[in-house]
Amino acid sequence: MKFICRIILIFTGLILFHISYFPSYCKNVVVVIDPGHGGESMGGNIDDRIERDIDLITSFAMKDRLEQYEGVDVYITRENNTDKELTRKERFDFAKEVDADFLFSIHYNMSEYHTLFGSEVWVASKGTNYVKGYQFATIEMQALTELGLFDRGIKNKLNKDRDGEYYGILKYAEEYDIPAVIIEHCHLDEERDSAFWNEESYKQFGVIDADCAAKFFGLSSSSLGIDNSSFQNISVEAPSKRLDRDYTEPEYCTLQINDNGDYVTAHIESYDPDNYIQYYQVSLDGGNHFGRLEEWTDRNSTSIEFDIPKEIDKDYSVVVRAMNKYDLYLESDPVYVEGLPKPVEVEEIETAATDTDYQTVEIKSTDEEETNTLSPIFIFVVTLVVLFVTFNIFFAIYITNSRKRKRRRKKNHETR
Ligand SMILES: [Zn+2]
């Protein structure tokens, strides 16, 4: 009997143990979507693009998509643009209230000089929040770059004292121990991201965010035909100390120019010990004006090469900038490039053109009007000459006749 009682007790204990843990086995993943800004705070705002509104479009698209997956509860921190902006704390109080497993902060970007383009994800600087943030961000960045966006990286930033997170959202993520990321989908002010400035793309971003979150949590959807059950997140180690952004520009930036006749090949060497070179920029006037930022295509390389076409009779003073992951740059020394000489044919053509100009002037100068004013003078001169000649002829005849007459008179006188 004692034995049977013991068996019953053990079984009851095991059942109770399983029951007490059962809810946590079956508990849905809880996702909080947090559209940035709201109320008076518009975020990035250029032309007709207001980040506050766009954040909401993307967030709702993310919510709609994620709700099509099984085993997930989705919440959103704000549902309109008219209510007062939520504080960071209010956003996280809400996340805590619903027992969130992750908070996704939805944003779009703009830069001071409207020069930057591409996507980035900001993650926490330490602990499991860093690990989970980085794992999700890896999936997200891959999806965004596959869409054609420039990869601006997965980033960290600490506050001024460097003892805590810079971004309020990540600060509260740490305090409340709820992982969070800030997704900056694209820039709203640089033309290379302009293909995404439409409602369809803002919604597409939401779908991508949802699919990436689903992958991260291993969620599947029978209605969408997506099975993420075997998806493995990359392994990420928690950093031993807080990770911060880079505060120093690249270590060096040198420029070499090779002359190839019609064009020159520019060769930049640059290196940043803290991260990598992300963009470069070229000036042809000694650093007064720089062209747009260009992609530093190979981030594992310390060099990049490109051609600059020469121009006729125009010298360059080439200066380049190498810019790192955190948009800090170093400038090279200027290198002088002599322009192409003026070709001879061009000069002849120019001379010919000048001749034609003279002809035009001449044609103008022999206009009818001018001809009319010249011809009376001509007639007058001719008349004078004719008169002069006639006068001389008559005068000569007169002289000859008068001499003959004199001679005749003399003869008569002698014969008398
Ligand atoms: Zn924002």
Side-chain angles (χ1 to χ4, degrees), residues 37 51 55 107-108 184:
H37 313 281
E51 194 204 335
D55 289 344
H107 286 259
Y108 286 81
E184 297 283 0

Side-chain angles (χ1 to χ4, degrees), residues 36-37 41-44 51-52 55 106-109 182-184:
H37 313 281
S41 165
M42 292 199 280
E51 194 204 335
R52 175 196 63 191
D55 289 344
I106 305 299
H107 286 259
Y108 286 81
N109 223 341
I182 300 168
I183 309 169
E184 297 283 0

Side-chain angles (χ1 to χ4, degrees), residues 199-390:
E199 193 156 338
E200 202 185 314
S201 294
Y202 303 147
K203 285 180 177 165
Q204 191 190 6
F205 281 131
V207 170
I208 286 171
D209 296 347
D211 288 347
C212 292
K215 258 189 187 173
F216 170 76
F217 286 112
L219 302 171
S220 299
S221 166
S222 49
S223 62
L224 296 171
I226 298 172
D227 180 9
N228 286 323
S229 56
S230 56
F231 181 81
Q232 283 284 313
N233 281 305
I234 57 155
S235 82
V236 176
E237 252 180 65
S240 54
K241 59 175 181 120
R242 276 190 184 282
L243 295 177
D244 199 358
R245 62 158 292 165
D246 185 5
Y247 289 94
T248 52
E249 56 272 5
E251 202 170 83
Y252 59 81
C253 174
T254 59
L255 170 67
Q256 234 188 359
I257 295 279
N258 293 319
D259 204 317
N260 302 308
D262 282 358
Y263 67 97
V264 293
T265 301
H267 179 99
I268 313 176
E269 282 282 343
S270 185
Y271 172 68
D272 194 309
D274 308 303
N275 49 76
Y276 49 81
I277 309 296
Q278 186 160 264
Y279 301 107
Y280 71 90
Q281 212 173 4
V282 184
S283 165
L284 300 177
D285 61 1
N288 289 319
H289 302 93
F290 279 86
R292 64 179 202 171
L293 289 174
E294 301 295 342
E295 299 177 17
W296 189 281
T297 36
D298 184 1
R299 287 178 183 175
N300 297 314
S301 175
T302 55
S303 65
I304 196 163
E305 256 186 19
F306 54 92
D307 294 335
I308 306 171
K310 283 198 212 169
E311 275 183 62
I312 292 163
D313 214 18
K314 196 175 173 187
D315 300 342
Y316 296 145
S317 170
V318 185
V319 177
V320 293
R321 280 174 180 170
M323 193 179 272
N324 70 18
K325 182 185 172 185
Y326 287 90
D327 311 318
L328 297 170
Y329 63 82
L330 192 66
E331 252 173 49
S332 73
D333 287 335
V335 178
Y336 182 75
V337 173
E338 206 174 316
L340 292 171
K342 269 190 186 175
V344 182
E345 300 87 57
V346 173
E347 264 177 13
E348 275 174 8
I349 290 160
E350 272 176 13
T351 321
T354 324
D355 286 344
T356 324
D357 285 347
Y358 277 127
Q359 277 171 14
T360 324
V361 174
E362 275 169 15
I363 289 160
K364 266 187 190 163
S365 71
T366 53
D367 262 352
E368 275 177 59
E369 243 182 285
E370 301 248 342
T371 320
N372 286 346
T373 49
L374 269 179
S375 50
I377 296 165
F378 179 74
I379 291 161
F380 178 71
V381 170
V382 168
T383 315
L384 269 185
V385 170
V386 169
L387 280 175
F388 181 74
V389 170
T390 320

